Every structure is written in structure tokens, then in C-alpha cells.
Amino acid sequence: MPGVERFVQSALRFWEQGRRYEDEGRPLLAARSYTRGLGGFLSYVKLSRAGQLAPAYYAFGALGRETARLCAPRNRHSALQNARMALAASHYADPTCGQVASVEREVHDGRDRTLYALTLGHHDQVLTAEMRIAGAADARDLLASLLGDEAATRPSAMGVWPIGSGDGTGRGRFGYWQDKKRYMQAVLPSCAGLGELRERRCLREEADAYFAELRRVAPHYDPGPRPERGIG
């Protein structure tokens, strides 16, 4: 669609603006900018007819995780919704489609595919399979860290959309606001129908399995530190 790339550029500008607000100690303005950036990425993946959307989904998920972590100390409900959005976007970016057994194949095959990440301050950074898989694992860790908090969990924030159900890609006939609501209520197919405590356990187990497999097949790849875990 002509002009659809403008949504990506707008999203990156709002992401960069939000980072500046964070540096200035203005978290509310940062969260507002990040939210507008997420809207840009959502519009792009809905409207784009490009064959390869992995870089946009990867950026969408990365910004969603950043937004959730910013919101977590102040508004757990908002953090949970953003974490579910990030989970959905990161799942779509994941070349294994949620299958840990496919990590080795995708890491090896991915070396022959040239994709570039949509990131801030890193021009022409190659988007590797390892980055996409680690993003999906981090999204699981993040959501697990937010589940089980009564202050955050309300019916509107609970996962009621198994990712990939309906139209299969988060694109198509749904309107923007309806689609955004689906993302904010996203749940992995492997966790569909589970209560919060069981979902949290499943997410942590899957994240552990992803990171363990990445360490095995790509020992030189550093996904960065994992979050501290509480009891449960």
C-alpha cells in the first residue's frame, strides 16, 4: 500500500522521543510517546502487503516490552496490557512459531537470510534468528513477572485471544481499535485456557527452554540479563 512505510517511520520517531523523555525523568510523557509508537507499528503490520514483516514485528515487540517495563512500577494494569501486546508481536517475529524444537534449525537456516532490524541508533543491524527467538523468550519472562498481581489483573487485561486465531496474522478485516484490544488480551496458544498461575508457570518454563536451547546452539550469542524472579 503506497505510503504505508510512514507508519514505521512515525513509530521510530515516537520511540526515540520516548527515550528522550525517559532520560529527562518524564515517565508519563515517555509512556505516551511509546504508546503512539506502538500504534504506528500496529498500523504498519495491519496494512502492509510486504512479504516479510519479521523486522516490524520484532520492533513492535521490543517497544512493547520497553513500554511494559516503564509502566510496571506505576500502573501494573497498563504494564500487563503492553506485555501481552509485546507477547503477540514477538510471537509473530519468532521464526520457530513457538516451537523450541525448531530453534536449532532456525538458527542455522537464518544465517542465509538477510533481514535488517528496525532499531534506534543501529543502522543496517542484521536481525538474526537468535535475536528474534530471544525476543520471544523475553516476552514470556516479562509477562510471567506481571501475572498474579491482583492490582494488575482485571477482566479487560486477561488473555482471551489465542495468538493466531481468527485471521491468523493479526491483519485483515478487524478495525484498528478492535485489533489493538485483541493484542492487549493476547495469550499464547500453549497457554490458552489456563488460569494465571498456570499461565505464569508455562511462560517461565517456555522461556527457560528457549534460552537453554539458544545457549546450546549459539553459545556466542548474548541475549542480555534476564529479570529477577519472585516467588511463585
Side-chain angles (χ1 to χ4, degrees):
M1 178 176 293
V4 74
E5 294 292 334
R6 72 184 186 277
F7 291 115
V8 167
Q9 298 307 315
S10 175
L12 292 172
R13 285 196 299 271
F14 281 120
W15 192 349
E16 188 172 34
Q17 182 184 66
R19 288 272 184 90
R20 290 198 299 270
Y21 283 137
E22 271 204 85
D23 291 342
E24 295 168 3
R26 305 166 78 181
L28 294 180
L29 289 177
R32 187 178 303 169
S33 291
Y34 289 158
T35 298
R36 296 181 74 177
L38 290 171
F41 283 128
L42 177 57
S43 294
Y44 177 77
V45 298
K46 279 182 61 61
L47 298 174
S48 176
R49 296 297 178 263
Q52 181 52 263
L53 291 174
Y57 277 123
Y58 174 79
F60 188 1
L63 178 55
R65 299 195 302 275
E66 199 166 325
T67 306
R69 289 186 165 109
L70 173 67
C71 294
R74 302 167 184 85
N75 188 331
R76 299 280 285 187
H77 175 61
S78 178
L80 185 58
Q81 290 182 318
N82 280 290
R84 288 199 181 277
M85 288 186 72
L87 183 75
S90 300
H91 183 72
Y92 285 135
D94 176 12
T96 75
C97 300
Q99 302 299 315
V100 175
S102 299
V103 169
E104 183 171 13
R105 183 186 69 243
E106 293 299 333
V107 167
H108 290 161
D109 291 352
R111 292 168 185 162
D112 298 325
R113 303 173 192 154
T114 303
L115 297 175
Y116 291 95
L118 295 171
T119 57
L120 302 180
H122 295 87
H123 298 294
D124 296 332
Q125 180 183 7
V126 175
L127 178 61
T128 65
E130 291 94 324
M131 292 168 62
R132 295 161 62 188
I133 294 166
D138 184 53
R140 286 165 168 77
D141 260 342
L142 173 61
L143 180 56
S145 74
L146 295 169
L147 291 175
D149 184 332
E150 292 182 0
T153 306
R154 307 174 189 172
S156 63
M158 294 175 68
V160 295
W161 173 54
I163 301 166
S165 62
D167 62 3
T169 63
R171 300 161 64 193
R173 61 186 177 85
F174 287 90
Y176 174 86
W177 292 109
Q178 187 177 3
D179 216 24
K180 183 175 181 179
K181 183 177 181 181
R182 290 201 312 164
Y183 271 83
M184 291 192 297
Q185 297 176 328
V187 61
L188 286 172
S190 58
C191 298
L194 300 182
E196 283 204 15
L197 295 182
R198 290 178 64 197
E199 182 184 11
R200 180 172 65 181
R201 187 179 306 117
C202 181
L203 289 167
R204 286 177 171 174
E205 289 173 354
E206 290 188 12
D208 287 342
Y210 264 123
F211 283 121
E213 190 67 356
L214 276 177
R215 284 194 297 271
R216 186 183 72 82
V217 303
H220 300 298
Y221 175 71
D222 180 11
R226 295 181 66 185
E228 294 290 334
R229 292 184 175 181
I231 298 174

